[in-house]
């Protein structure tokens, strides 16, 4: 019964997403020519297709218990390469992989300036992968998340201590930032003046958008690099600090976690309650999975709990 209800809920979310995206009109993307693209033609472009494929491959590897060691590092490198590095290379094909709009801009700037086609396409891919789950976009596609995950893997090799920020605190911090952003956006307290004197609201997240750290060619100074740089340094001690404390996508995809079709679950009959997973996992979600809680702290589908359990108690299952 519970399973049936979950599937109906999932179907309703999907039908809603399909309806809004099909209802969206095509939009002019060029000032020089009639380049008109719908959300669907954008979703079939190399960048978005690569995102979807990477997310689905990650899901298969997680389900088969293969997401560990070298293969995990390769998957993370691919996400960093395609969506962080590639657009900076002097190869025209890779310019199509530029993270414009960044996931944060796709949400924040859409609230300020309206939902343009590229923003909707980016938001839809994030939604799509997060609804298939578990956290497939944040875990395996986002370059900022992938870089923090790699740095955290390095921490284990360097045997550095891990600082665990309580979930309640980190969730309150990123929720507060989101609320302040909404307040500033609706009141346009932070704005810029155009040449014609018009006031345009500015997103609070623009001041600490870690995705700008990958835009080497467009850099005007060290400031845009800082959020990513600080996240990498802090990430040597804290698991995914940017995702847990700041990123609005981290908050939104966390809300979507209970809706995802696939999730990390515990095979109760295999678990001998040794608690190895709770100390070996980087997150605070594992303890709640063991307890059987429906609402859990963030799980980024890193696969560590699947790997560390000696009795293979964790699995990625369709609920
Ligand atoms: S929370 Fe933000 S920075 Fe972290 S992986 Fe998700 S989109 Fe990327
Ligand atoms: S170790 Fe934590 S973050 Fe990683 S897959 Fe397991 S529950 Fe999710």
């Amino acid at each position: 019964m519970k399973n049936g209800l979950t599937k109906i809920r999932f179907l309703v979310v999907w039908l809603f997403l399909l309806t809004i995206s099909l209802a969206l009109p095509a939009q002019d993307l060029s000032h020089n020519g009639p380049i008109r693209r719908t959300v669907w033609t954008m979703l079939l472009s190399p960048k978005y297709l690569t995102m979807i494929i990477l997310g689905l491959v990650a899901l298969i590897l997680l389900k088969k218990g293969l997401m560990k060691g070298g293969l995990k590092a390769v998957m993370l490198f691919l996400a960093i390469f395609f969506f962080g590095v590639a657009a900076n290379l002097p190869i025209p094909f890779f310019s199509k992989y530029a993270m414009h709009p960044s996931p944060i801009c796709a949400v924040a700037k859409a609230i300020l300036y309206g939902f343009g086609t590229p923003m909707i396409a980016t938001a839809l891919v994030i939604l799509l992968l997060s609804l298939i789950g578990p956290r497939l976009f944040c875990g395996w596609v986002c370059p900022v998340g992938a870089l923090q995950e790699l740095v955290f893997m390095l921490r284990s090799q360097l045997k550095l201590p891990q600082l665990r920020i309580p979930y309640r605190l980190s969730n309150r911090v990123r929720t507060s930032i989101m609320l302040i952003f909404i307040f500033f956006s609706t009141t346009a307290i932070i704005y810029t003046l155009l040449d014609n004197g018009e006031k345009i609201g500015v997103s609070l997240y623009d001041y600490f958008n870690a995705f700008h750290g990958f835009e080497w060619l467009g850099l005007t100074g060290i400031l845009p690099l800082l959020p990513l740089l600080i996240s990498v340094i802090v990430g040597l001690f804290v698991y995914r600090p940017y995702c847990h404390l700041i990123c609005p996508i981290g908050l939104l995809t966390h809300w979507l976690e209970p809706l995802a079709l696939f999730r990390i679950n515990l095979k109760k009959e295999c678990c001998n309650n040794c608690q190895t997973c709770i100390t070996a996992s980087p997150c605070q979600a594992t303890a709640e999975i063991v307890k059987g809680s429906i609402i859990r702290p963030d799980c980024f589908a890193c696969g560590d709990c699947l790997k560390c359990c000696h009795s293979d108690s964790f699995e990625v299952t369709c609920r």
Side-chain angles (χ1 to χ4, degrees), residues 103-104 126 135 137-146 148 174 210-211 240 242-244 246-251 253 298 300:
I104 292 182
I126 295 170
R135 288 300 263 287
F137 180 83
C138 287
W140 300 103
V141 175
C142 171
V144 175
Q148 290 174 93
R174 70 185 167 184
F211 291 88
R240 289 185 177 245
Y242 192 81
C243 309
H244 280 106
I246 293 176
C247 187
I249 304 298
L251 184 60
T253 57
D298 296 66
F300 287 96

Side-chain angles (χ1 to χ4, degrees), residues 166-272:
Y167 164 70
R168 284 191 175 190
L169 175 64
S170 61
N171 204 40
R172 278 179 190 164
V173 170
R174 70 185 167 184
T175 306
S176 305
I177 294 174
M178 170 76 100
L179 291 175
I180 296 170
F181 157 74
I182 292 171
F183 173 76
F184 280 169
S185 301
T186 49
T187 53
I189 284 177
I190 305 180
Y191 63 86
T192 188
L193 268 184
L194 298 185
D195 288 345
N196 62 7
E198 191 188 343
K199 278 184 187 176
I200 297 279
V202 172
S203 163
L204 177 67
Y205 289 110
D206 268 358
Y207 295 101
F208 34 82
N209 185 340
F211 291 88
H212 294 329
F214 286 115
E215 295 166 12
W216 312 330
L217 299 180
L219 283 187
T220 49
I222 189 76
L223 276 183
L225 271 178
L226 283 182
L228 188 63
L229 203 60
I230 293 170
S231 303
V232 166
I233 295 167
V234 178
L236 279 169
F237 304 96
V238 177
Y239 181 54
R240 289 185 177 245
Y242 192 81
C243 309
H244 280 106
L245 290 162
I246 293 176
C247 187
I249 304 298
L251 184 60
L252 296 175
T253 57
H254 178 46
W255 290 341
L256 290 174
E257 269 186 73
L259 287 175
L261 191 57
F262 288 91
R263 220 179 179 194
I264 310 273
N265 285 310
L266 183 79
K267 290 182 264 177
K268 284 198 182 117
E269 65 283 4
C270 299
C271 175
N272 56 19

Side-chain angles (χ1 to χ4, degrees), residues 104-124:
I104 292 182
C105 292
V107 172
K109 291 202 170 160
I111 290 173
L112 276 165
Y113 310 128
F115 287 85
T117 308
M119 291 169 177
I120 294 168
T122 303
L124 274 178

